[in-house]
């Protein structure tokens, strides 16, 4: 429920920090434009490390028994985890993985789009390796209907399924559901926050700690006032930086602002995934127009003809219209911005002693409309887009039983906290933020209250096959508006028309 009140991180290798930034830059911003056709067969032979379930039937937990023999399971993952594979292998053993099972950390290409393309080639060909993979929820509507991922709802057993229902971020778990099946288990969740220069804000006369900005979200009006004042006091080049290129503005940064303004593309959040062609399209509404006017004010100030009266502006550089996640970090990292929107991974970097240390502040996403005042269920109040990655099993693995053992170890509290300590990647179980180990993770431990609060206030984008062309159309129109090529009214009307056409075509 959203509330609307006004080895450690320092031991990370520099290569891991760079890998994390590059890899997560694509999380939540993936554009899936692959033309996928046909379904692969579901091979369930377990080969070494388990019993075969032959015949193509979906196996159950009762069918799977690890034999105890020596076996190596291949994990297709990001270079981030490949860089610390020895540490993660040991963490899996510490979590109860039999030492007869070895994990081959097979690092692969950068970025969610490229990674999906690679998996498309592997899975469509029916290859048996890798045995399991790091996956993004954007893949679900493409891979799950084709049986390219194994339904985990039966193979994990009742205990793990109960834990997923009760202890995890439900929006994260639900993002990998499809037609009654579960096709991934959360590995880590990415939580967007506003990261800011607390020292510069305080120098401008504001009191973040006294006003409890860590868990009491600001309004966008107050946020803009603070940013403008701190920018002028400190003389920084920029006030508020975020990724606003065409890919981001419709599906991430602009979407978050819209939801915190009480709007949505498809009415209530319960409509996100359909039924396609039989749900309301609600882009051409005042909340969306106001969101674009808000951005125009932030970009161009009161001189813009569509600026919002009384809203402080001129705080976001127009260069942001060309930025993805990594470029958007550069101004803030260099000390030339007051406020910055980014995923939780960036906190470990910005909060290090080499950067801003305790001068870094972290706050939840601001809002304009409270939840009770919002037009649609699930909108209003502080809210941020879901990010993160999952573990999914290749249905053609010949080592199913051993792979299930690895999945269970890698979704244990021990493993989640090891990832948190080593990389700053946040656990998908909110309760772990209050654990003794989490309290000892350098840098991140100063911001656990904010991370836990925001993790409970995240929304998932639509997870269906039409979201990619729809978000592309929305992004194109929003971007044209923010480049002052269209009025907000023209942009939302055009986006509405295109999204409706896609709905009609697919229904």
């Amino acid at each position: 429920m959203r509330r609307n009140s006004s080895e450690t991180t320092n031991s990370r290798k520099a290569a891991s920090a760079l890998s994390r930034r590059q890899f997560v830059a694509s999380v939540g911003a993936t554009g899936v434009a692959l033309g996928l056709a046909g379904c692969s067969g579901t091979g369930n032979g377990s080969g070494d490390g388990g019993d075969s379930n032959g015949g193509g039937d979906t196996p159950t937990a009762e069918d799977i028994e690890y034999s105890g023999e020596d076996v190596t399971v291949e994990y297709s993952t990001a270079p981030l985890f490949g860089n610390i594979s020895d540490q993660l292998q040991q963490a899996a053993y510490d979590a109860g993985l039999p030492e007869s099972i070895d994990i081959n950390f097979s690092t692969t290409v950068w970025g969610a789009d490229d990674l999906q393309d690679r998996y498309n080639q592997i899975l469509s060909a029916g290859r048996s390796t890798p045995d399991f993979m790091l996956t993004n929820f954007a893949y679900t509507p493409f891979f799950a209907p084709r049986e390219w991922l194994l339904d985990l709802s039966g193979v994990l057993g009742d205990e793990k399924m109960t834990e997923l229902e009760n202890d995890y971020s439900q929006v994260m778990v639900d993002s990998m559901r499809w037609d009654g099946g579960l096709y991934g288990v959360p590995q880590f969740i990415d939580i967007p926050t506003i990261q800011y220069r607390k020292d510069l804000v305080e120098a401008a006369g504001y009191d973040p700690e006294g006003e409890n900005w860590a868990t009491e979200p600001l309004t966008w009006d107050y946020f803009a006032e603070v940013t403008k004042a701190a920018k002028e006091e400190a003389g920084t080049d920029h006030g508020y930086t975020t990724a606003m290129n065409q890919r981001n503005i419709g599906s991430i940064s602009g979407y978050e602002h819209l939801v915190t303004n009480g709007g949505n593309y498809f009415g209530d959040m319960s409509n996100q995934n359909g039924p396609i062609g039989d749900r309301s399209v609600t882009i051409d509404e005042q909340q969306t127009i106001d969101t674009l006017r808000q951005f125009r004010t932030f970009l161009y100030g009161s001189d813009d003809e569509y600026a919002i009266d009384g809203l402080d502006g001129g705080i976001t550089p127009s260069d942001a219209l060309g930025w993805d996640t990594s470029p958007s970090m550069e101004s803030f990292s260099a000390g030339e911005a007051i406020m910055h929107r980014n995923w939780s991974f960036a906190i470990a970097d910005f909060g290090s002693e080499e950067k801003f240390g305790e001068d870094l502040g972290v706050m939840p996403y601001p809002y304009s409309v409270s939840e009770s005042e919002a037009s649609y269920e699930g909108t209003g109040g502080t809210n941020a887009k879901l990010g993160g990655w999952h573990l999914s099993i290749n249905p053609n693995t010949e080592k199913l039983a051993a792979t299930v053992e690895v999945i269970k170890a890698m979704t244990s509290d021990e493993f989640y906290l090891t990832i948190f300590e080593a990389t700053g990647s946040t656990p998908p179980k909110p309760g772990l933020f209050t654990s003794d180990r989490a309290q000892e993770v350098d840098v991140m431990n100063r911001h656990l209250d904010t991370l836990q609060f925001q993790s409970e206030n995240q929304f998932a984008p639509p997870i269906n096959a039409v979201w990619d062309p729809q978000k592309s159309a929305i992004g194109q129109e929003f971007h044209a508006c923010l480049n002052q090529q269209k009025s907000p009214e023209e942009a939302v009307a055009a986006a509405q028309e295109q999204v409706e056409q896609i709905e009609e075509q697919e229904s």
Side-chain angles (χ1 to χ4, degrees), residues 33 59 69 111 123 137 162 186 270 389 460:
E69 60 187 311
L123 299 172
F137 54 76
T162 298
S270 58
W389 290 81

Side-chain angles (χ1 to χ4, degrees), residues 5-6 196 201 205-218 222 225-226:
S5 54
S6 341
Y196 68 96
V201 165
Y206 296 92
D207 184 10
E209 293 188 9
E211 296 181 3
N212 195 24
W213 290 5
T215 56
E216 296 187 26
L218 310 185
Y222 188 36
E225 174 196 316
V226 171

